[in-house]
Amino acid sequence: MNPKTTTVADKSFKMMISAETIADRIRVLGGEINRDFADKKPVLIGILNGCFLFMADLVKQIDVDCEIAFMKVSSYHGGMESSRTITEDYDLKMAVSGRHLIIVEDIVDTGNTMRFIVDKLQAKKPASVSIATLLFKPAAMEQKLDLQYVAFEIENKFVVGYGLDYKGLGRNLNAVYQVVL
Ligand code: 5GP
């Protein structure tokens, strides 16, 4: 299902990044990770819920030995505005001291959630922490963070699809859609 426009809950959205463009770009990011992490046996840490499709498609492009793990944090609570209060719903279960970590996130908006996650992981004394994000809104960024693997920089408008939700819906869309106001 790949409509050009769609309705999710009470809002209209238009396609911004097609499924084919997402797949092409993830192949490129996978290649970069294979090159940068050869012999490093990285741990990819997916940030639930939004990462699940990106994580699945990204790991399929990785051919170096790697492990996967998940954390769950929430800051949006289903609407269009970040609550700014970050809650940790599910902590990392794996011991990661001395390991090379790649955080896999759906979107970096203000960067506050990513800052929280990076600080938590750094406290566990890993060998390195890198960030892979499907989407990045540079105009919204409030934190100083190095984002090593960014699939797409987008304008500061609300998006859904390919794992991202609005009011709990829309995560199953194959493409990324931007709100029409
Ligand atoms: P930040 O802390 O960077 O402001 O926001 C990070 C989290 O807010 C993301 O992991 C995501 O859950 C949510 N978020 C930020 N921008 C959007 C957006 O445009 N659409 C959706 N669906 N979620 C977003």
Side-chain angles (χ1 to χ4, degrees):
M1 190 186 60
N2 241 339
K4 292 280 175 230
T5 60
T6 187
T7 302
V8 178
D10 53 1
K11 296 239 178 280
S12 302
F13 291 84
K14 63 175 183 193
M15 191 190 286
M16 189 175 64
I17 310 171
S18 72
E20 294 72 26
T21 304
I22 294 170
D24 288 349
R25 186 71 187 118
I26 291 177
R27 255 190 296 278
V28 173
L29 290 192
E32 291 175 7
I33 290 173
N34 288 332
R35 178 197 65 203
D36 297 346
F37 289 87
D39 302 321
K40 289 188 172 164
K41 211 190 265 189
V43 185
L44 281 89
I45 301 176
I47 310 303
L48 295 169
N49 290 331
C51 79
F52 74 106
L53 290 180
F54 179 41
M55 178 78 156
D57 288 342
L58 183 63
V59 296
K60 284 186 268 182
Q61 299 302 324
I62 294 181
D63 53 25
V64 299
D65 276 352
C66 65
E67 292 180 68
I68 67 162
F70 292 95
M71 292 170 66
K72 186 172 191 312
V73 298
S74 32
S75 64
Y76 253 56
H77 308 298
M80 293 217 307
E81 292 295 324
S82 174
S83 72
R84 293 190 181 267
T85 316
I86 299 161
T87 51
E88 190 174 6
D89 305 332
Y90 176 75
D91 195 3
L92 187 67
K93 303 296 179 205
M94 186 186 287
V96 295
S97 157
R99 301 294 303 270
H100 293 279
L101 311 182
I102 305 172
I103 301 168
V104 180
E105 175 64 297
D106 55 355
I107 185 164
V108 175
D109 183 16
T110 63
N112 293 325
T113 306
M114 188 53 77
R115 170 92 274 151
F116 175 88
I117 294 163
V118 168
D119 289 350
K120 269 202 83 85
L121 291 176
Q122 289 287 13
K124 296 176 190 279
K125 306 267 181 280
S128 68
V129 178
S130 306
I131 299 169
T133 186
L134 177 73
L135 303 171
F136 171 43
K137 294 178 181 168
M141 187 69 155
E142 295 174 5
Q143 299 283 340
K144 260 196 158 24
L145 283 167
D146 282 336
L147 305 177
Q148 286 80 6
Y149 308 100
V150 175
F152 303 98
E153 288 194 4
I154 61 169
E155 59 180 315
N156 193 7
K157 288 195 181 155
F158 189 79
V159 291
V160 292
Y162 196 72
L164 292 104
D165 75 309
Y166 171 57
K167 294 191 172 174
L169 301 175
R171 293 192 196 274
N172 53 322
L173 292 161
N174 291 340
V176 172
Y177 290 80
Q178 184 181 65
V179 73
V180 181
L181 294 172

